Amino acid sequence: WAASSAQIVVAGSTWPEEERALRRMDWHSERRLVLVPHDLSASHLADLDRMWEGGAIRASAWLALEEAERNRWSVVVVDSTGLLFDLYRIGTVAVVGGGHGSGLHNVLEPASAGLPIVTGPELGAFREAHALQDIGALTAGDVTELTEAWLADEASCRQFGAAGLNWLEGQRGASARIVSRWVNNLS
């Protein structure tokens, strides 16, 4: 399914603001969406079903289909937990939820997959998000507009996704350095 599409947007820990923004985009066999909502309650999943008006399928139902039937779906709503880290590996662009005031979610997971990242406008005090923004690997603002911009420029997508991964790899050992600093200050 992923290999048969030119572009996959993996939207992780989304809130209604990101979900509405992504709904405005055009999804088809060459541009697919994997939507992983923050809220997996039955009522929110039902809201998403209504929002997509039959244009999306829940992952639990999608997985039960034969491959040919799976390929006719362009939007899959993940209705279980524990998959997001692995799903970023099939993506072209990551949309990370929480950038509209609810608290930005983990941007390190999509960075570790080498994806450029889109969030809402509010990064809060998340140091890593600001660092990724400073090197161009993360853009914050209008989710629809920014996602479309990344998808329109495949070369920049790869370049800035790689820049984020390189930055992240440069942070190896940070926990040990911090603990060492604390230990040294206590002695």
Side-chain angles (χ1 to χ4, degrees):
W1 183 81
S4 68
S5 180
Q7 301 173 323
I8 305 249
V9 173
V10 178
S13 299
T14 59
W15 290 81
E17 296 87 354
E18 293 92 15
E19 294 157 2
R20 285 189 297 272
L22 293 165
R23 178 64 179 102
R24 291 191 299 268
M25 294 178 64
D26 183 28
W27 303 104
H28 47 78
S29 63
E30 290 300 310
R31 177 187 283 180
R32 293 184 164 151
L33 172 65
V34 178
L35 181 66
V36 186
H38 174 77
D39 180 359
L40 292 175
S41 68
S43 63
H44 185 67
L45 291 171
D47 288 344
L48 287 172
D49 290 342
R50 282 188 293 280
M51 178 192 303
W52 286 91
E53 302 169 333
I57 186 170
R58 292 189 192 182
S60 56
W62 181 82
L63 288 168
L65 299 174
E66 297 292 325
E67 185 176 340
E69 279 298 301
R70 286 183 188 173
N71 281 331
R72 76 177 200 86
W73 291 96
S74 297
V75 179
V76 176
V77 177
V78 177
D79 53 354
S80 61
T81 61
L83 302 173
L84 186 55
F85 180 79
D86 292 325
L87 289 171
Y88 283 129
R89 302 291 178 261
I90 66 168
T92 307
V93 173
V95 173
V96 176
H100 290 92
S102 56
L104 187 63
H105 290 268
N106 189 340
V107 295
L108 298 179
E109 289 180 343
S112 75
L115 300 183
I117 302 162
V118 172
T119 72
E122 298 179 34
L123 299 182
F126 197 174
R127 175 191 159 298
E128 292 84 354
H130 289 282
L132 289 167
Q133 184 180 41
D134 290 346
I135 63 169
L138 181 148
T139 53
D142 182 292
V143 170
T144 304
E145 181 181 304
L146 294 171
T147 303
E148 290 281 4
W150 279 119
L151 293 173
D153 188 351
E154 189 176 322
S156 288
C157 230
R158 284 192 307 274
Q159 175 189 352
F160 288 102
L165 176 58
N166 289 337
W167 175 85
L168 185 60
E169 288 174 346
Q171 303 304 304
R172 287 181 192 256
S175 295
R177 288 190 303 272
I178 291 168
V179 169
S180 175
R181 220 178 323 167
W182 278 101
V183 169
N184 291 336
N185 285 339
L186 292 174
S187 29

